[in-house]
Every structure is written in C-alpha cells, then in structure tokens.
Amino acid sequence: VKENNYRGHGDSVDQLCWHPSNPDLFVTASGDKTIRIWDVRTTKCIATVNTKGENINICWSPDGQTIAVGNKDDVVTFIDAKTHRSKAEEQFKFEVNEISWNNDNNMFFLTNGNGCINILRQVPLAAELKPIQSINAHPSNCICIKFDPMGKYFATGSADALVSLWDVDELVCVRCFSRLDWPVRTLSFSHDGKMLASASEDHFIDIAEVETGEKLWEVQCESPTFTVAWHPKRPLLAFACDDKDGKYDSSREAGTVKLFGLP
C-alpha cells in the first residue's frame, strides 16, 4: 500500500469525503475555514474554497456536482464542485450534526440536536433548498445518518443509544437496534445493504442484520470507536478507535485503522 500525506490545512481536519464516482478525488473540511479538494494522483490540493466558519461536516452529492459543508455555527453551504463557488447557504436555528443527500440526489437530509431529521428539497432552477419535512426521530440529540447502497433504507444514530432504521419512501421507522449503551456516533451499511455496523463509546461494534434486527456479531475494541466503514464491494469492516492512551505510544494520538472480516 502506498501512503501519502496531504498537507495544506492550517487547523484540524474534521472530515473527509470521497467523490461518489471519481476514485482520484476527495474533499476535506477543516477548522481553518476552508475546504480543500485533493487529487490522489498528484497528492496536491487542486482547489481551496474559503468558507465563513470552522467546518466540521462535509458530504458530496451522488451526482458529484455539489459539495455540502456544515460549520460550527450551524450554517450549511452548498458549493458547486466544478466552479468551486458557493451556490446556496442555509443558517439553521438548531445544532446541525450529520448531513447527507438521499441516493436519488433529490433530497437533502440532516440530523439535529433536537432529535429530528430535517429533509430539504432542491427547488428547480433555484439555488436554495426548501424545507419539506421534519421527523421527530429520537427523544435526544440525533447524531449520525447513513443511506443504504440499495436505496431502500436509511439509519440514524442518537444520544439515546438507539439506532433507528427508516423506510426511504414511506419515511417511517421500521425497527430499532438497542444493543449499545452509549450515544451512537457512527454507522455504516455493507455494500449489499444486508448488514449495519454501529458504534459508540461502548467497547464493541454492533453488527446487525438489517431485515431482522438480529445481532450477527460484535467486534470487541479496547476503547471508544470514532468511525466505522464497510468496504464498497466486500464484507470487510474498517474502524478507528480513540487510541490516545493506547498501548503503542501514549505520548501521541495513534490514529490506527483496524480491519474486521479478513479471511
């Protein structure tokens, strides 16, 4: 495996997102009030876009044309991925957590601090997004959201330690997964949409069967998990934990990525 470093941001890099169809491009969101688009073939930054605030979450639309970035002041900015100019901006009156388009690219979802999922729709021939629905999903802070690759469901994770599974078309909750005890901070569907991994400060990652809610496996970890991600083509799960005071070198943050499911 070839390893590269991508330097340029002047503050913490909080999130990274790959282009939905071009495997050479990814975008990063940083506290330095910029987002940067990178090309892995040159390891250089090909675009720097200045934004108004310190950025914490970022996502790319499925058609690759728009990048949405959210900052600490709960402003979401929509940036044209070709011209690198801002197309629209939305200031929200609540804590904005994770942001995502649906697979069809026609609706924009965000989870908020009041336990709701807010859904916005793109207005034809206009820059702005129009709020169309707010779903009371959880009694406490709704943290993360992920869409399954098949386009059938999406899942949300909350501070109430529950993961809820929603039907995309009906917008109703189909079932809940309740094996974690701590706020759910990360979710990932497997490539075939059959498995859902969820993780928190619990020292295990829950892997559930989507259609039944049954536990397929729990992956033991020694510390809280920050992020989980299934391989796009295989049943292989990558995850990263809070190894700050890890057994390797307690003087620095380790930043170890682990794999589960290798033969």
Side-chain angles (χ1 to χ4, degrees):
V1 174
K2 195 170 154 212
E3 191 179 295
N4 293 321
N5 285 318
Y6 298 83
R7 298 182 193 284
H9 279 300
D11 201 342
S12 66
V13 180
D14 284 280
Q15 212 167 33
L16 175 156
C17 175
W18 288 91
H19 188 288
S21 54
N22 182 342
D24 296 321
L25 297 181
F26 67 93
V27 64
T28 49
S30 169
D32 66 6
K33 300 189 176 181
T34 70
I35 68 163
R36 285 174 180 254
I37 301 172
W38 307 82
D39 190 322
V40 296
R41 294 163 297 188
T42 61
T43 70
K44 286 191 174 67
C45 171
I46 56 170
T48 303
V49 184
N50 291 307
T51 58
K52 285 185 176 171
E54 296 177 41
N55 303 309
I56 48 176
N57 44 29
I58 195 160
C59 67
W60 214 311
S61 64
D63 63 6
Q65 290 179 14
T66 311
I67 296 164
V69 58
N71 69 23
K72 286 184 178 172
D73 304 317
D74 304 312
V75 174
V76 177
T77 307
F78 296 89
I79 293 159
D80 187 308
K82 286 196 175 69
T83 64
H84 309 138
R85 288 201 177 95
S86 169
K87 294 201 279 195
E89 199 176 82
E90 293 274 343
Q91 168 76 64
F92 294 95
K93 293 184 175 70
F94 44 71
E95 177 187 310
V96 174
N97 293 320
E98 199 157 46
I99 53 179
S100 176
W101 270 271
N102 63 347
N103 298 22
D104 292 337
N105 207 100
N106 59 0
M107 289 195 283
F108 187 76
F109 287 65
L110 52 93
T111 56
N112 78 29
N114 306 328
C116 297
I117 305 162
N118 291 75
I119 308 169
L120 299 94
R121 189 186 283 282
Q122 182 73 52
V123 181
L125 306 174
E128 78 267 22
L129 283 100
K130 191 171 141 224
I132 54 164
Q133 198 163 354
S134 176
I135 303 170
N136 290 325
H138 292 271
S140 58
N141 195 338
C142 190
I143 300 167
C144 45
I145 182 166
K146 281 288 181 300
F147 283 79
D148 94 86
M150 303 292 133
K152 190 176 177 187
Y153 300 117
F154 64 90
T156 57
S158 164
D160 60 13
L162 290 176
V163 175
S164 54
L165 185 75
W166 299 78
D167 182 295
V168 167
D169 298 324
E170 303 289 332
L171 296 178
V172 292
C173 181
V174 184
R175 65 186 57 87
C176 281
F177 308 86
S178 57
R179 286 179 288 270
L180 296 168
D181 290 326
W182 288 83
V184 183
R185 53 165 78 155
T186 177
L187 297 166
S188 182
F189 282 96
S190 59
H191 69 98
D192 55 8
K194 290 181 177 169
M195 294 184 283
L196 177 63
S198 53
S200 63
E201 289 182 48
D202 289 278
H203 287 194
F204 69 90
I205 298 164
D206 183 74
I207 298 180
E209 186 173 29
V210 170
E211 288 300 343
T212 63
E214 282 174 36
K215 178 171 88 174
L216 293 172
W217 202 260
E218 60 180 51
V219 183
Q220 297 299 321
C221 353
E222 287 165 15
S223 48
T225 303
F226 283 133
T227 184
V228 293
W230 285 100
H231 189 286
K233 296 190 178 91
R234 284 185 240 158
L236 185 63
L237 185 74
F239 60 98
C241 297
D242 181 7
D243 291 332
K244 272 203 291 289
D245 38 26
K247 56 186 187 292
Y248 304 108
D249 177 4
S250 55
S251 64
R252 63 187 188 93
E253 296 194 25
T256 315
V257 176
K258 298 167 185 165
L259 292 174
F260 168 77
L262 289 166

